Amino acid sequence: MKTVKLTEIAKTIRSKNAGVNKITFDKIKIPAGGGLTFEVPGDNGESEAAKEIEGVILYHHALNSYYKDKYTGGSNPPDCGSLDGKAGEGTPGGRCINCPYNQFGTGENGSGKACKNKRRIFILREGEVFPILLTLPTGSLKGFTAFIRRLVTKGKRCHTLVAKISLKKAVSSRGIQFSQAVFRVLRDLNGEEIQAVMPLVNHVREMSKNI
């Protein structure tokens, strides 16, 4: 990711600050059943397959969602949701750590949690002006947390490097195959690139509150 591109992107975001919060992020989809290719938005409006995603992780945050009735897809909001994994809004609402639906064993057939814990990741890819959104399902959280922990132990932050994300097959405790995201570092950004990307980090952090 070249410095000049990051600088141009930063200037574009600053110049459009008034309307940037209204933008809907394009989304990367992780397949079900252990598939090894992501679905990413294509230039013609149709989804394209990608085995890997490369880019700078500008920001990430916890996402909890509880549906009283079984979720069957669509854009209907959850009965209770949280954008920080700490405080839920809706029914039942309150502190997530104390919520009975956020405990293991409360999920379907006594497995997992009734409240689904996920994580939103905002990724800036080469040649793109705005980040793309990847929502990690529960089965990928442990690996992502380990990735971030390794960075922290080395004094790094996720927005100071280019990461590569791929998929591998995994099997749940119930014997169900699923796709699990794998993260690794491609390279560190240089000083100029880090300086250029910081405005994006700050803007995306604010924008994430309005999605």
Side-chain angles (χ1 to χ4, degrees):
M1 187 166 290
K2 298 179 180 180
T3 303
V4 63
K5 290 186 178 181
L6 286 175
T7 303
E8 291 172 352
I9 291 169
K11 289 180 179 178
T12 300
I13 293 246
R14 285 197 294 269
S15 68
K16 296 182 178 180
N17 187 34
V20 76
N21 286 336
K22 300 179 181 180
I23 292 177
T24 299
F25 291 94
D26 285 336
K27 297 179 176 65
I28 303 171
K29 295 182 180 180
I30 293 179
L36 300 180
T37 55
F38 296 98
E39 285 186 29
V40 299
D43 294 336
N44 59 2
E46 298 181 357
S47 296
E48 298 177 352
K51 290 188 176 181
E52 298 173 337
I53 304 296
E54 297 179 6
V56 178
I57 298 175
L58 298 177
Y59 181 62
H60 59 89
H61 69 81
L63 178 69
N64 292 350
S65 57
Y66 166 70
Y67 289 87
K68 181 179 179 181
D69 299 318
K70 186 175 180 179
Y71 179 65
T72 56
S75 58
N76 54 310
D79 293 281
C80 183
S82 171
L83 292 178
D84 61 6
K86 297 178 181 179
E89 296 184 5
T91 304
R95 296 184 63 197
C96 296
I97 193 172
N98 297 327
C99 180
Y101 299 114
N102 195 33
Q103 311 302 321
F104 285 103
T106 58
E108 187 176 3
N109 298 320
S111 177
K113 301 179 180 181
C115 180
K116 301 306 178 185
N117 302 155
K118 301 179 181 181
R119 198 159 197 91
R120 280 177 173 165
I121 300 178
F122 299 85
I123 305 165
L124 181 66
R125 299 190 296 174
E126 179 74 42
E128 297 189 350
V129 176
F130 295 103
I132 196 166
L133 176 60
L134 170 64
T135 300
L136 287 183
T138 303
S140 293
L141 296 185
K142 184 177 180 180
F144 180 70
T145 300
F147 172 72
I148 295 298
R149 187 184 301 117
R150 289 195 301 272
L151 295 181
V152 172
T153 59
K154 296 179 180 180
K156 298 180 180 181
R157 303 288 295 276
C158 61
H159 60 261
T160 64
L161 52 87
V162 178
K164 175 181 283 189
I165 312 169
S166 57
L167 294 170
K168 71 174 184 179
K169 289 184 180 181
V171 182
S172 71
S173 59
R174 297 170 58 192
I176 300 174
Q177 286 192 344
F178 64 96
S179 306
Q180 189 175 72
V182 179
F183 295 80
R184 72 181 184 89
V185 176
L186 275 184
R187 72 169 182 87
D188 294 331
L189 298 182
N190 61 41
E192 290 181 272
E193 289 175 319
I194 294 174
Q195 185 177 6
V197 85
M198 283 309 300
L200 304 179
V201 174
N202 296 329
H203 281 302
V204 170
R205 182 181 290 113
E206 290 302 313
M207 292 159 62
S208 69
K209 300 175 183 179
N210 300 313
I211 298 178

